[in-house]
Amino acid sequence: MKASQKNKKLKIFGRAFIYPKKPAGRLYSYRKWLSYVLLIGLFSFPFIKLGGEQLLLLNFLERKFVFFGLIFTPQDFYLFALAMLIFIIFVICFTVIFGRLWCGWACPQTIFMEMVFRRIEFWIEGDANHQKKLDQQPWNKEKIFKKGSKHFLFLLISFGIANTFLAYLIGSDVLYHIITEPVDQHISGFLSIWLFTLIFYTVFAYVREVVCTVICPYGRLQGVLLDNQSLIVAYNQQRGEPRAFLQKSNVAPAKGDCIDCGLCVQVCPTGIDIRNGIQLECVNCTACIDGCNEVMAKIKRPANLIGFYTQDFIKQKKPFKLGLKAYGYTAVLLIVMLVFSSLIYKRQNVETTVLRASGTLYQLGNDGTVSNLYNAELINKTNQPIRFTFRSQNKGDVINFIQKPEVLAKEGTTHLTFFLIRKKNELKDFKSDVVFEVSANGKVISTASSSFFSQP
């Protein structure tokens, strides 16, 4: 093992910790600013209201989902499933084209670990060598103060993440009641906050990169999705090999451009050597690119010995172009998005279902009319109560209500029971269609169809 890679890991309580060098460079600056934007969105979305609802809510317990003010009920589960399918296809399509860039630049695990917890660690304990030295030294006032301060901040931030996570799951209003009201009124909520706090603290203080390298299945999935035309963070072997240490007498390396400084290994948050080829542990964080470019600038060699490359470019100098796999996934994604958009456009705020009463056929009246008995269910998918009217689309029909609520509660359900009456001399067939309308404020907000039976 080379000197640059020795002592990179230190075992503490049986856990081999990685001590990455603090990264710096142009790409790292871009990652920081992108992370700030994503973190602001992540922590603000559950607490911003749009149309009386928080921007994002994933309440699996009550089966209520809100996306940018649009409420999805259990009756809209097919839309939620379709939205998840779109997300999965998008990630697959993105991976086919750009590799595991999602992991290094947008994944919450990486953003919190590298841009929050790791930066606190650098701030309190110093760079990699200082951290390793601190862990190896005996417990004294300096170590107790630094370790105590770091883990206190880790717990504090984990507490904030846990509360935000619960705000997405149970709603910010419910979370506010849990926090402000006596503990004995919300035992389960109180325990949930601390349970998630400990989970997040354990992940970011101890488990760390193991989430990316072992637990997360996405790293293994990329091995199936990537091909020779995918853009990935890669080492240009054709240019860098054979490696040679830079001699003091030489301005440039005598052989390949790689001087085997090991900086790409030192800055890697998962502890791999990018020069060994594609590895599932690589999260495409681009820290190795910045580190290598820093060295290339010093020895006056072209940048991007490590960069965004395709395997075809490294081996055969073929320029980047989208492959058939990328076009195929993109086409599937566009089709599913088109179907999803049309379903969203046709979605009604009130879902109405009308069924003929079971066990009945039709009733003949002495006045030459025929009546059918129906049951109707109305579901309000909005967060506002709706005063409605229910009628048949055929103006000649008469409805005699047995049960008739006039207000549909917000996010509520109501039932109607009624007879639909038609004149016998206007009916020509044993079975005919009937369409019902639900109106509010002079506008038709929902329709439903059923069948009408009569004596021909």
Side-chain angles (χ1 to χ4, degrees):
M1 182 177 290
K2 296 180 176 59
S4 61
Q5 300 181 40
K6 287 183 179 179
N7 299 325
K8 185 168 176 68
K9 298 183 180 180
L10 180 67
K11 284 198 173 184
I12 302 176
F13 302 115
R15 164 79 162 89
F17 274 84
I18 294 175
Y19 296 86
K21 182 180 176 61
K22 186 177 180 179
R26 180 172 56 89
L27 293 175
Y28 184 69
S29 297
Y30 292 158
R31 284 179 63 206
K32 284 195 298 186
W33 287 108
L34 177 62
S35 298
Y36 297 153
V37 173
L38 294 176
L39 286 171
I40 290 172
L42 179 69
F43 281 105
S44 61
F45 281 176
F47 306 101
I48 297 176
K49 296 296 182 76
L50 179 64
E53 294 288 343
Q54 64 186 59
L55 281 181
L56 290 176
L57 175 66
L58 302 172
N59 193 334
F60 291 92
L61 297 177
E62 297 181 1
R63 294 177 297 173
K64 177 184 176 182
F65 308 95
V66 181
F67 293 91
F68 296 95
L70 189 63
I71 301 174
F72 292 88
T73 62
Q75 289 73 25
D76 296 318
F77 182 77
Y78 67 98
L79 291 175
F80 178 76
L82 200 57
M84 292 298 100
L85 180 61
I86 290 174
F87 175 75
I88 293 172
I89 297 175
F90 171 79
V91 171
I92 292 174
C93 184
F94 189 88
T95 304
V96 169
I97 300 173
F98 298 108
R100 207 174 173 181
L101 197 64
W102 157 269
C103 294
W105 287 66
C107 176
Q109 163 69 20
T110 304
I111 289 176
F112 278 118
M113 186 67 250
E114 302 302 323
M115 297 300 172
V116 179
F117 289 89
R118 192 86 76 183
R119 287 171 66 84
I120 290 174
E121 205 163 50
F122 289 138
W123 173 53
I124 295 177
E125 298 184 354
D127 209 342
N129 291 331
H130 293 90
Q131 294 176 24
K132 187 161 50 178
K133 182 179 178 181
L134 183 67
D135 285 340
Q136 289 174 332
Q137 74 183 41
W139 286 95
N140 52 28
K141 290 182 179 179
E142 178 192 12
K143 186 170 183 177
I144 292 173
F145 174 75
K146 289 185 175 181
K147 290 293 184 181
S149 300
K150 182 184 79 170
H151 287 282
F152 172 76
L153 289 177
F154 280 11
L155 272 171
L156 192 64
I157 296 172
S158 298
F159 180 77
I161 298 173
N163 279 272
T164 305
F165 180 72
L166 282 175
Y168 280 104
L169 293 182
I170 62 177
S172 55
D173 294 335
V174 176
L175 178 65
Y176 177 77
H177 291 302
I178 294 175
I179 296 174
T180 57
E181 294 176 359
V183 175
D184 57 358
Q185 296 182 18
H186 303 282
I187 297 294
S188 59
F190 177 79
L191 293 176
S192 297
I193 291 175
W194 285 107
L195 174 62
F196 284 115
T197 298
L198 292 176
I199 290 175
F200 286 120
Y201 170 76
T202 302
V203 167
F204 294 115
Y206 186 78
V207 181
R208 301 192 160 201
E209 75 284 345
V210 175
V211 173
C212 303
T213 59
V214 177
I215 299 174
C216 179
Y218 181 55
R220 289 160 177 79
L221 180 64
Q222 71 166 343
V224 179
L225 298 176
L226 296 181
D227 55 29
N228 291 338
Q229 296 171 315
S230 301
L231 274 175
I232 57 173
V233 174
Y235 167 67
N236 191 340
Q237 295 176 338
Q238 303 297 325
R239 175 186 153 191
E241 301 294 328
R243 307 172 197 173
F245 289 109
L246 183 65
Q247 304 297 326
K248 292 183 179 180
S249 59
N250 296 333
V251 177
K255 298 183 179 180
D257 282 355
C258 180
I259 62 173
D260 209 12
C261 65
L263 190 57
C264 57
V265 182
Q266 295 171 30
V267 297
C268 180
T270 58
I272 66 169
D273 189 340
I274 193 65
R275 296 170 296 180
N276 293 335
I278 300 175
Q279 299 158 73
L280 67 86
E281 293 89 353
C282 178
V283 295
N284 284 16
C285 68
T286 66
C288 55
I289 297 179
D290 282 330
C292 187
N293 283 344
E294 179 184 344
V295 175
M296 292 296 107
K298 289 179 180 179
I299 65 174
K300 296 181 173 54
R301 300 299 296 168
N304 297 329
L305 175 60
I306 301 174
F308 284 104
Y309 297 119
T310 65
Q311 291 298 306
D312 282 346
F313 176 82
I314 293 175
K315 296 178 181 178
Q316 306 173 27
K317 298 298 180 181
K318 289 184 178 179
F320 170 72
K321 66 176 182 179
L322 295 178
L324 292 177
K325 186 188 293 186
Y327 282 114
Y329 282 121
T330 302
V332 173
L333 178 63
L334 291 176
I335 293 172
V336 177
M337 289 179 64
L338 183 63
V339 173
F340 180 76
S341 300
S342 64
L343 292 175
I344 289 291
Y345 178 77
K346 295 179 180 179
R347 178 182 180 272
Q348 298 175 331
N349 287 332
V350 174
E351 182 174 321
T352 305
T353 304
V354 180
L355 298 173
R356 295 184 67 260
S358 60
T360 64
L361 189 57
Y362 59 85
Q363 298 81 36
L364 298 175
N366 296 328
D367 54 353
T369 60
V370 181
S371 62
N372 281 202
L373 180 63
Y374 294 89
N375 292 315
E377 180 184 55
L378 279 65
I379 302 173
N380 186 357
K381 299 179 182 179
T382 71
N383 59 357
Q384 299 293 331
I386 298 176
R387 184 173 291 276
F388 67 95
T389 56
F390 186 91
R391 63 173 180 265
S392 171
Q393 204 173 64
N394 185 350
K395 296 182 179 180
D397 293 342
V398 176
I399 294 181
N400 185 11
F401 289 97
I402 299 174
Q403 180 183 358
K404 183 192 176 185
E406 296 182 350
V407 177
L408 183 56
K410 66 176 184 178
E411 302 176 26
T413 303
T414 191
H415 294 84
L416 307 176
T417 304
F418 61 90
F419 285 100
L420 177 66
I421 303 172
R422 286 181 167 180
K423 295 180 181 180
K424 183 179 179 181
N425 56 13
E426 296 179 356
L427 301 172
K428 299 179 180 180
D429 300 317
F430 174 73
K431 179 182 178 181
S432 57
D433 296 328
V434 56
V435 179
F436 299 96
E437 296 178 341
V438 179
S439 302
N441 299 321
K443 296 181 179 179
V444 176
I445 59 175
S446 180
T447 60
S449 59
S450 188
S451 299
F452 187 89
F453 291 95
S454 64
Q455 187 180 52

